[in-house]
Amino acid sequence: MKVLLIGSGGREHALAWKLAQSPRLTKLYAAPGNPGIGEEAELVAINTEDQQAVLAFCQANAIDFIVVGPEAPLVAGLADTLREAGFTVFGPSAAAAQLEGSKGFTKDICAKYSISTGAYQRFTAAEPAKAYIREQGAPIVIKADGLAAGKGVTVAMMVDEALDAVDSCFDGAFGAAGAEVVVEAYLDGEEASFFCLCDGTHALALASAQDHKRVGDGDTGPNTGGMGAYSPAPVMTPDMVERTMKEIIEPTIRGMTDSGHPFSGVLFAGLMITKKGPELIEYNVRFGDPETQVLMMRLKSDLLTLLHAAATGTLDQMDAEWRDEAALTVVMASRGYPGTYEKNTPITALPEADANTKVFHAGTALKDGQLVATGGRVLNVTAMGDTVGAAKATAYAALAKVKWENGFSRSDIGWQAVAREKA
Ligand code: AMP
Ligand code: GLY
């Protein structure tokens, strides 16, 4: 099979690495990719926002299967454009991608299909939103409706903070994404990321992970795209996975089919495990970053076969097998991230990969033969171990071999799981 992978982050490097191991793969292309992905795939310099350019490439190169990594092209309808031209694509239609593209859309599905999630109201003007907040009190959560690169959410511990968040949304802090605001009840518990493949009708549970969204040790400082992750998430016991499938994922799949927008691709549920059980915080319609890096380390099954089954409606015949060990990844980011940072700083040494360690590239590039950091999140140092603690020790030992002066990382990825293992 000739495969084109769309994307250029650590998630796509992990997907490329795993796709490249498939016996069914004859050729892997990636657009635009990065130097790490370039070790697994032939990089193609097309603008992936230009759907006609992507389509022309697929036609000219007789591509059999396209895997779309990030959400933006999905929300923009890349999967629709390619499918209409007869291609097989992993990733939802633009209509089904609304599960990530509009928080209000997802909340309405939850209400209609009795899916556990925080009570909410949607608003298109500040005053009614503020009146609702005053009535509900704090803590309370304010969300810009649309895609805001993970930055459109304020978990307000005080009413004043919530009122300010409403003003900043309607004042345009998140552009068009903030034209509608969702005000949601605060959920108390432990968070987990849970992934399933869907083929429009069936859902196949993959695995769970825990992400560290805050930039600083001890989960302090501003939110980021994710500073590290580990898998599996201990809070996702077999019973919790079964409840999540029955109470959250399966009704969502039914709801999407009933509404005429069957969902195919990967459904990534951000969950809060509360005293009542699993509750949905949000959906994403693509793999998590950096969660995918740890998932791919643990996946024993052939990724290409699984993704192709999701795209062709044959998931009911599939099973996914996982290594029992834990995987953990530490993100190295450019100093200043998630604020402003210097670009093109040199990375002069990386550790060798071995059976249990792998460095995935995110925001890197080659400039005159020198590897440089071009993004906020730049490297994902990933390791396996019998316990999360062992994986953590191996990952940080590998990270110590990275020579990159402008890089930083958290030093405590996996702390909750390590504390549990010691208890
Ligand atoms: P989201 O972009 O919706 O994933 O929200 C970003 C982060 O805000 C989540 O990972 C949670 O840590 C937090 N969050 C979102 N919604 C809630 C909620 N209803 N209750 C508590 N925390 C929340
Ligand atoms: N790590 C969270 C995300 O991919 O959205």
Side-chain angles (χ1 to χ4, degrees):
M1 225 186 289
K2 284 167 90 175
V3 179
L4 170 66
L5 172 68
I6 304 285
S8 62
R11 164 184 51 213
E12 285 79 20
H13 187 186
L15 293 173
W17 174 72
K18 197 69 197 165
L19 287 171
Q21 294 168 22
S22 173
R24 295 176 65 190
L25 184 81
T26 53
K27 174 84 188 176
L28 182 61
Y29 295 97
N34 67 34
I37 297 171
E39 290 169 13
E40 313 289 351
E42 181 176 329
L43 301 186
V44 185
I46 40 178
N47 173 6
T48 55
E49 284 174 28
D50 182 347
Q51 298 185 359
Q52 292 309 316
V54 175
L55 176 59
F57 176 84
C58 293
Q59 285 167 334
N61 293 278
I63 298 295
D64 299 301
F65 186 42
I66 301 112
V67 176
V68 185
E71 64 277 19
L74 293 168
V75 172
L78 178 60
D80 307 74
T81 299
L82 296 171
R83 277 195 198 104
E84 278 158 23
F87 287 98
T88 304
V89 186
F90 177 79
S93 65
Q98 288 302 296
L99 279 177
E100 175 161 1
S102 166
K103 295 189 189 295
F105 173 89
T106 298
K107 284 297 207 178
D108 290 349
I109 294 253
C110 290
K112 194 163 169 199
Y113 293 89
S114 307
I115 295 167
S116 288
T117 185
Y120 75 103
Q121 293 272 332
R122 303 173 69 164
F123 298 97
T124 51
E127 276 321 309
K130 288 182 177 179
Y132 179 72
I133 290 167
R134 288 195 190 94
E135 186 189 300
Q136 297 292 314
I140 194 155
V141 183
I142 316 303
K143 299 183 174 182
D145 179 71
L147 289 183
K151 299 188 179 82
V153 176
T154 303
V155 180
M157 288 300 152
M158 313 286 276
V159 168
D160 281 350
E161 195 190 338
L163 301 177
D164 289 348
V166 168
D167 280 333
S168 80
C169 275
F170 287 117
D171 287 349
F174 308 110
E180 182 173 330
V181 165
V182 173
V183 180
E184 180 181 299
Y186 173 78
L187 299 170
D188 194 16
E190 186 167 346
E191 277 187 74
S193 303
F194 181 69
F195 297 86
C196 332
L197 293 178
C198 306
D199 67 2
T201 317
H202 295 97
L204 173 69
L206 290 179
S208 64
Q210 235 147 1
D211 183 14
H212 294 62
K213 290 211 165 77
R214 303 296 194 96
V215 74
D217 280 0
D219 294 327
T220 55
N223 261 328
T224 68
M227 292 301 290
Y230 57 93
S231 173
V235 68
M236 290 304 285
T237 56
D239 174 53
M240 209 53 82
V241 169
E242 201 182 313
R243 285 191 58 185
T244 302
M245 291 303 288
K246 287 222 154 52
E247 297 171 22
I248 297 181
I249 305 294
E250 285 164 10
T252 303
I253 299 302
R254 272 199 304 280
M256 293 303 287
T257 304
D258 291 352
S259 66
H261 307 304
F263 184 90
S264 80
V266 58
L267 194 54
F268 161 5
L271 301 173
M272 189 71 86
I273 308 304
T274 69
K275 286 198 193 100
K276 285 198 317 198
E279 299 202 47
L280 182 72
I281 298 177
E282 63 159 4
Y283 275 130
N284 297 303
V285 298
R286 36 84 192 169
F287 279 104
D289 191 346
E291 289 95 329
T292 304
Q293 289 79 316
V294 286
L295 254 52
M296 291 305 114
M297 291 291 275
R298 292 189 54 229
L299 181 64
K300 287 203 282 195
S301 310
D302 179 27
L303 179 68
L304 181 51
T305 297
L306 286 171
L307 301 187
H308 197 258
T312 52
T314 54
L315 262 188
D316 55 330
Q317 299 154 28
M318 293 292 148
D319 207 8
E321 283 191 74
W322 303 88
R323 284 171 70 175
D324 289 333
E325 298 100 307
L328 180 140
T329 188
V330 183
V331 171
M332 293 191 79
S334 294
R335 277 184 207 289
Y337 175 80
T340 53
Y341 50 84
E342 197 184 330
K343 290 198 173 170
N344 299 319
T345 56
I347 300 167
T348 53
L350 290 178
E352 292 283 323
D354 60 35
N356 285 318
T357 321
K358 175 83 192 157
V359 178
F360 294 110
H361 291 228
T364 67
L366 281 172
K367 290 257 154 75
D368 304 323
Q370 170 67 53
L371 189 68
V372 295
T374 52
R377 295 189 296 166
V378 174
L379 298 170
N380 310 135
V381 186
T382 313
M384 301 286 299
D386 287 338
T387 60
V388 175
K392 180 181 174 188
T394 306
Y396 279 103
L399 185 140
K401 295 182 187 151
V402 174
K403 291 207 175 106
W404 174 33
E405 271 179 27
N406 199 46
F408 79 98
S409 63
R410 278 182 59 163
S411 67
D412 64 346
I413 299 305
W415 66 271
Q416 299 105 319
V418 172
R420 262 207 188 88
E421 287 170 359
K422 285 190 179 147

